Amino acid sequence: MEPVLKVEKLTGGYSPRRPVLHGLSFEVRPGEMVGLLGLNGAGKSTAIKHILGLLQPHAGEIRVQGATLASDPGAYRNAIAYVPETPLLFDELTVEEHLRLTGMAYDVSQDSFEHSVENLLDEFYMTPKRQAFASHLSKGMRQKVMIMNALLAGPQLYIIDEPFLGLDPLGIRSLLDKLVEVKREGAAIFMSSHILSTVESYCDRFVVLHHGHIIAQGRLPEIRQAAGMAADEGTLEEAFYRLTTDGGSHGKIS
């Protein structure tokens, strides 16, 4: 099965003289959720910005649905929906107007739009806020709007950066249920989060970044082995702690 996202030997950052990322290679396949893990400053946000096309690689290649940003920018961007750590909304637009704007951007049909919006507003407990301006929403509600926009777009690839910040327990449950649903339908999900217990429960594979290098990747048994643990014992959090406090001295998995 061809990967939806394929990153090969990516080196990059904000300055060519001081790269943040060093030779990253990984992929996310259809119907798969991959967790991106790392301490603050490990390079997670920089990697995501490269995938989104906000930064240009110094070396290496990124493909989404087989296309690079340079070869087919329209297809590349249309295949991605992004939920950032900090919600970015237009204060003068209502919740429904944000959804309508996304529907137009991703060419969602009117029938599909009406059906999806009603379901999303209900699932995220946002129906009473349908006509509320973004400026009047709490941070958690603003984050829900970002998530609903991504789900409305229905892309092949979801890129989600710390999605649980500001969400209440019902919002977290609604998001996780929807991610399971879209994954079952064949979407690929690349998610960065510090909540390792949740990542362990929902992700199929993991990529561990440390100082801009991949120090482990694979399923949980492989992450444990990279951390010097038995393949069938220990949590993801325990393995992550060993890997990052030892500087990744247990080796890499490719």
Side-chain angles (χ1 to χ4, degrees):
M1 187 178 294
E2 287 297 314
V4 176
L5 170 65
K6 187 168 186 177
V7 177
E8 293 185 287
K9 300 180 180 178
L10 171 65
T11 295
Y14 299 91
S15 168
R17 296 181 180 180
R18 298 185 63 183
V20 175
L21 308 174
H22 306 273
L24 307 189
S25 293
F26 60 89
E27 60 185 38
V28 186
R29 295 183 285 268
E32 182 178 52
M33 188 185 305
V34 174
L36 177 64
L37 313 177
L39 301 173
N40 292 335
K44 302 187 301 298
S45 293
T46 305
I48 288 173
K49 287 178 181 177
H50 277 285
I51 296 168
L52 295 173
L54 301 177
L55 292 174
Q56 292 297 314
H58 304 166
E61 185 176 73
I62 303 169
R63 289 185 175 272
V64 175
Q65 290 288 86
T68 65
L69 183 60
S71 68
D72 194 340
Y76 186 102
R77 291 194 173 100
N78 285 338
I80 298 173
Y82 171 50
V83 179
E85 177 180 353
T86 302
L88 300 171
L89 301 177
F90 298 101
D91 285 345
E92 67 276 14
L93 295 184
T94 67
V95 171
E96 184 173 356
E97 286 169 340
H98 277 94
L99 293 167
R100 193 166 296 279
L101 185 63
T102 295
M104 291 188 292
Y106 282 86
D107 199 24
V108 178
S109 71
Q110 184 63 26
D111 288 344
S112 179
F113 173 83
E114 297 294 344
H115 176 73
S116 297
V117 165
E118 296 300 330
N119 287 340
L120 289 168
L121 289 169
D122 181 61
E123 289 166 352
F124 284 91
Y125 305 93
M126 288 291 286
T127 300
K129 298 293 183 180
R130 182 178 196 140
Q131 299 303 327
F133 289 103
S135 58
H136 298 162
L137 301 177
S138 68
K139 181 180 178 181
M141 289 180 178
R142 293 169 68 89
Q143 185 71 339
K144 287 182 180 181
V145 176
M146 297 296 297
I147 293 166
M148 289 190 297
N149 275 280
L151 292 166
L152 175 67
Q156 289 83 19
L157 174 64
Y158 291 84
I159 298 177
I160 307 177
D161 190 6
E162 294 294 345
F164 308 119
L165 294 179
L167 289 183
D168 57 33
L170 288 177
I172 292 173
R173 172 55 59 188
S174 296
L175 171 59
L176 291 171
D177 287 346
K178 290 301 292 185
L179 291 181
V180 170
E181 181 182 323
V182 299
K183 188 180 81 160
R184 190 181 300 121
E185 293 170 353
I189 303 165
F190 189 52
M191 180 173 70
S192 170
S193 177
H194 289 303
I195 306 179
L196 299 185
S197 59
T198 300
V199 172
E200 179 179 349
S201 297
Y202 284 86
C203 288
D204 303 290
R205 294 190 297 111
F206 313 92
V207 175
V208 184
L209 276 184
H210 197 55
H211 299 312
H213 295 269
I214 293 178
I215 57 173
Q217 66 172 300
R219 296 185 179 275
L220 182 54
E222 297 170 300
I223 302 300
R224 291 180 181 133
Q225 289 178 317
M229 301 164 61
D232 57 352
E233 294 182 3
T235 65
L236 176 63
E237 184 174 0
E238 291 168 340
F240 177 80
Y241 177 79
R242 288 197 185 194
L243 284 165
T244 53
T245 55
D246 292 348
S249 59
H250 293 289
K252 304 177 183 179
I253 297 175
S254 59

